[in-house]
Amino acid sequence: MAEHFHLNTPLLESVSMSKRVGATVYLKMENSQPSGSFKIRGIGHLCQQLATQSKGVVCSSGGNAGMAAAYVARKMGVPATIIVPSSSPQLVVQRLQDEAATVKIVGKVWDDANAEALRLAETEGLTYVPPFDHPLLWQGHATMITEVAASLGPGVKPGAVLVSVGGGGLLCGVIQGLKDTGWSDVPIIAMETVGADCLNAAVKAGKVVTLDDITSEAKCLGAKTVCAKAFEYSQRSEFTIISEIVTDQEALQAVETFLDEERVLVEMACGAALAAVYTGLIRRLQKEGRLPSLLGPLLVIVCGGSSVDMKQLATLKHKLQT
């Protein structure tokens, strides 16, 4: 059996982004994973631990977790059932079917799809693959930070890490990775879009809250409640987690600028993190004294995304033109 399903992805220096920030910007290119996003790290790890003897896996996902689960299951020779909410683009459904998964469309948002996945795991004896809330996932995601440390070499550490937050799985994995590499003091800028801002809402309220609805077009950030572990990390003094939000328009603009400058197409969920550079948010945080004015290398996790193509991009532009 394969040692693991994910690739050691490239760490690229972005000259144009570095110019904007006034510090070296490194891009961890998780978009180049076989399933299109970072999710394969954690989901591959979890399936190797829990699903080798399984009669099948079931995963609830509007996109990337489903793609990762379907890919890993196909490689393991295990059937996969992926439950997606009706908000998922047709393109995602097609790609999941191409990975030989059975796709069921249930409910309007991820939370509805997840309830059905849990029911199927119970009634049909399938292995439930959670999209973001499980320690094995975070362990798998943490490998991206160990790779970064190996690429940067001894004595170099990031000045800050930039991540997008949906349910909080990537954030938990990054923190786990920072702990593993002795980088716990590196600040993390956790980015969300308005209308999918479950971490930001929790940080403001001082407790985990559930959003009424997901109104953002960044559907892959669309969990109404952040995982408890991510919120707990945000409250702990040994970590610096700066929670910020951008508009859908800013996230989309970031996707387009990234496509122009870096020749890579990512989805809006990933655009949320990129927008921190393109909107000048990093500079603002420096002005406010929340980030050092002399910033070490900025590490951007380009989390990727399988639910975007040129047609989808055009649709989003049309929707978001104000």
Side-chain angles (χ1 to χ4, degrees), residues 28-159:
K28 184 62 171 156
M29 301 299 279
E30 288 298 294
N31 57 296
S32 57
Q33 291 292 2
S35 65
S37 85
F38 75 95
K39 291 274 188 187
I40 193 164
R41 290 180 184 270
I43 284 173
H45 183 59
L46 179 128
C47 289
Q48 278 177 326
Q49 301 292 316
L50 304 181
T52 44
Q53 306 298 308
S54 173
K55 22 192 251 201
V57 300
V58 61
C59 179
S60 53
S61 162
N64 295 310
M67 281 300 297
Y71 174 87
V72 168
R74 179 169 67 78
K75 289 290 184 195
M76 288 174 74
V78 170
T81 304
I82 313 295
I83 318 287
V84 302
S86 59
S87 58
S88 304
Q90 182 50 42
L91 149 83
V92 172
V93 174
Q94 186 54 56
R95 285 189 179 164
L96 288 166
Q97 287 166 339
D98 291 345
E99 287 286 356
T102 303
V103 183
K104 294 187 173 172
I105 299 172
V106 177
K108 183 174 160 258
V109 290
W110 172 79
D111 304 70
D112 307 331
N114 193 45
E116 174 64 10
L118 288 166
R119 191 189 67 78
L120 281 179
E122 191 64 35
T123 54
E124 301 191 15
L126 302 174
T127 303
Y128 171 69
V129 176
F132 56 82
D133 197 355
H134 197 288
L136 286 172
L137 297 178
W138 311 331
Q139 246 174 27
H141 298 335
T143 54
M144 76 180 77
I145 301 296
T146 14
E147 284 172 22
V148 168
S151 298
L152 289 177
V156 184
K157 78 172 176 181

Side-chain angles (χ1 to χ4, degrees), residues 25 58 100 137 150 175 188 198 205 237 246 317 319:
V25 173
V58 61
L137 297 178
I175 292 170
I188 299 170
C198 59
S237 57
V246 288
K317 277 182 79 158
K319 260 188 183 172

Side-chain angles (χ1 to χ4, degrees), residues 62 96 223 270 281:
L96 288 166
C270 183
L281 185 126

Side-chain angles (χ1 to χ4, degrees), residues 209-279:
V209 292
T210 300
L211 303 175
D212 295 335
D213 193 14
I214 300 297
T215 54
S216 168
E217 288 300 328
K219 296 300 177 203
C220 292
L221 295 183
K224 291 201 288 190
T225 317
V226 75
C227 69
K229 188 70 175 173
F231 174 70
E232 184 207 311
Y233 279 140
S234 76
Q235 301 299 293
R236 279 166 52 180
S237 57
E238 79 242 51
F239 306 112
T240 306
I241 298 174
I242 301 169
S243 167
E244 292 285 333
I245 47 182
V246 288
T247 63
D248 273 3
Q249 282 83 356
E250 287 169 329
L252 182 62
Q253 183 65 60
V255 166
E256 294 190 74
T257 308
F258 195 69
L259 179 57
D260 282 343
E261 293 188 351
E262 312 293 336
R263 303 167 309 286
V264 173
L265 178 60
V266 293
E267 66 188 30
M268 263 180 71
C270 183
L274 303 173
V277 170
Y278 295 134
T279 59

